[in-house]
């Protein structure tokens, strides 16, 4: 019997009895896929300054003035995103959806791993790195994660300098108007995507799984608050911290890649 068996069984029984269970996921769900979180020790914000890379103007300025610092990190991220595969936590969520229990996943992650594990009803509030958005006509198109990364890496390797102009010269072209696109992700200061759908799902939910998030980035940190306000039970899985202690019904201090499959095993 595992240390958190009681909590796992309780979470399974709450989910089995639910009528509209949803999940709200953060970077921790992809940690076991090898993608570093933002705020854990050694995370992204330990290595990079959000002011220098988290806003469009900051990123452009850093690219122009300090590309020698940015380039190794950028190439490292490409490798990490290329190697990543969905982990058992992602697959357990997709299975819960197939069983008809989980109605949707709201995610802050941009890595495409929820889709790749088979989750269909997904609300990506911070966008998706592997969907391109045209800067001119706003058309969006998706790209294959691994081949896109290979193309970007080949493009970078062929550059003789790394500044804003050379970076833009290798940007993916719009399928519709051939102009420059950028990954359709939300930078700091930009509008969060699909917010009405996310709040509607939170309000309608009777159970919310809160998974792998530090709960410090808004508006995503309001989703559990809204769900609780409208009567939902909160099941929170995070091995290091519970950011919503006052409103959690079941807290499981485990990795989502271990806890979610264990919960699934107890659901008929
Ligand atoms: P954070 O990096 O802030 O938090 C990750 C959380 O995951 C922490 O609470 C960890 O304890 C937890 N964690 C680590 N490993 C885990 C595991 N194996 N299983 C479960 N939990 C684990 O990431 P988010 O809360 O998602 O925004 O951060 C939200 C936003 O901050 C990101 O979407 C990004 C960033 O700034 C934008 O880029 C707009």
């Amino acid at each position: 019997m595992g240390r958190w068996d009681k909590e796992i069984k309780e979470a399974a029984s709450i989910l089995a009895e639910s009528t509209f269970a949803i999940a709200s996921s953060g970077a921790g769900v992809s940690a076991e896929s090898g993608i570093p979180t933002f705020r854990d020790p050694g995370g992204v914000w330990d290595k990079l300054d959000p002011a220098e890379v988290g806003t469009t103007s900051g990123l452009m300025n850093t690219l122009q003035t300090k590309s020698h610092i940015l380039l190794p990190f950028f190439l490292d991220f490409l490798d990490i995103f290329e190697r990543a595969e969905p982990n058992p936590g992602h697959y357990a969520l997709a299975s819960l959806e197939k069983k008809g229990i989980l109605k949707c996943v709201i995610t802050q992650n941009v890595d495409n791993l929820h889709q790749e594990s088979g989750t269909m009803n997904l609300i990506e509030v911070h966008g998706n790195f592997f969907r391109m958005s045209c800067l001119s006509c706003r058309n969006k198109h998706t790209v294959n994660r691994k081949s896109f990364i290979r193309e970007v890496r080949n493009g970078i390797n062929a550059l003789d300098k790394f500044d804003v102009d050379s970076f833009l010269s290798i940007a993916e072209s719009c399928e519709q108007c051939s102009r420059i696109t950028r990954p359709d992700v939300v930078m700091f200061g930009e509008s969060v995507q699909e917010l009405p759908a996310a709040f509607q799902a939170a309000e309608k939910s009777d159970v919310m799984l809160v998974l792998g998030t530090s709960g410090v980035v808004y508006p995503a940190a309001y989703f559990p608050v809204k769900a609780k306000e409208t009567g939902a039970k909160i099941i929170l899985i995070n091995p290091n911290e519970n950011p919503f202690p006052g409103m959690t019904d079941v807290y499981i201090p485990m990795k989502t890649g271990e806890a979610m499959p264990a919960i699934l095993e107890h659901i008929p």
Side-chain angles (χ1 to χ4, degrees):
M1 180 153 156
R3 183 162 175 215
W4 304 109
D5 223 35
K6 180 174 152 283
E7 285 75 7
I8 297 277
K9 284 184 183 151
E10 200 181 342
S13 117
I14 290 173
L15 282 164
E17 284 164 21
S18 68
T19 55
F20 200 90
I22 70 170
S24 180
S25 77
V29 171
S30 292
E32 288 151 275
S33 297
I35 300 179
T37 62
F38 292 89
R39 294 175 184 80
D40 286 302
V44 177
W45 298 146
D46 264 0
K47 296 184 177 140
L48 296 168
D49 179 350
E52 290 191 339
V53 297
T55 63
T56 314
S57 57
L59 182 61
M60 290 298 135
N61 187 43
T62 310
L63 261 179
Q64 195 64 25
T65 56
K66 293 191 205 168
S67 62
H68 59 287
I69 296 175
L70 201 55
L71 187 55
F73 285 110
F74 191 65
L75 290 171
D76 201 29
F77 281 128
L78 290 181
D79 288 346
I80 286 168
F81 274 92
E82 187 179 20
R83 277 197 302 268
E85 297 295 344
N87 67 54
H90 294 108
Y91 286 117
L93 288 167
S95 300
L96 266 185
E97 186 187 55
K98 275 199 200 83
K99 279 179 179 285
I101 292 173
L102 197 65
K103 301 298 191 277
C104 84
V105 176
I106 307 170
T107 189
Q108 298 169 73
N109 300 345
V110 300
D111 54 29
N112 207 48
L113 296 182
H114 280 301
Q115 283 95 327
E116 292 179 35
S117 64
T119 290
M120 307 292 288
N121 201 358
L122 189 62
I123 300 174
E124 295 173 308
V125 287
H126 291 169
N128 185 312
F129 199 83
F130 303 100
R131 184 173 60 227
M132 298 296 127
S133 172
C134 178
L135 298 183
S136 296
C137 75
R138 306 281 162 204
N139 180 55
K140 295 185 184 188
H141 74 271
T142 54
V143 292
N144 175 278
R145 176 165 60 96
K146 300 211 175 191
S147 50
F148 174 70
I149 289 173
R150 280 194 290 274
E151 274 168 35
V152 172
R153 191 189 291 108
N154 290 343
I156 289 172
N157 287 338
L159 293 175
D160 45 13
K161 59 182 167 68
F162 194 68
D163 57 12
V164 172
D165 283 341
S166 43
F167 193 68
L168 292 180
S169 76
I170 60 163
E172 172 94 4
S173 300
C174 174
E175 279 184 342
Q176 207 156 279
C177 72
S178 305
R179 296 212 175 87
I180 288 176
T181 67
R182 59 165 258 193
D184 190 25
V185 293
V186 175
M187 308 283 279
F188 286 116
E190 294 179 346
S191 300
V192 166
Q193 300 184 8
E194 296 191 78
L195 203 52
F199 274 119
Q200 254 170 35
E203 279 172 24
K204 201 173 161 189
S205 67
D206 61 351
V207 177
M208 181 184 274
L209 286 161
V210 180
L211 308 171
T213 178
S214 60
V216 299
V217 174
Y218 287 86
Y222 280 130
F223 302 148
V225 178
K226 184 50 79 183
K228 190 71 191 177
E229 259 174 30
T230 48
K233 288 197 167 148
I234 305 291
I235 299 169
L236 192 139
I237 306 177
N238 188 316
N240 309 319
E241 58 177 340
N242 178 355
F244 303 100
M247 62 174 88
T248 303
D249 294 278
V250 182
Y251 173 43
I252 307 176
M254 285 173 71
K255 296 178 175 178
T256 42
E258 292 166 0
M260 283 310 304
I263 290 173
L264 194 63
E265 267 182 30
H266 289 284
I267 297 182

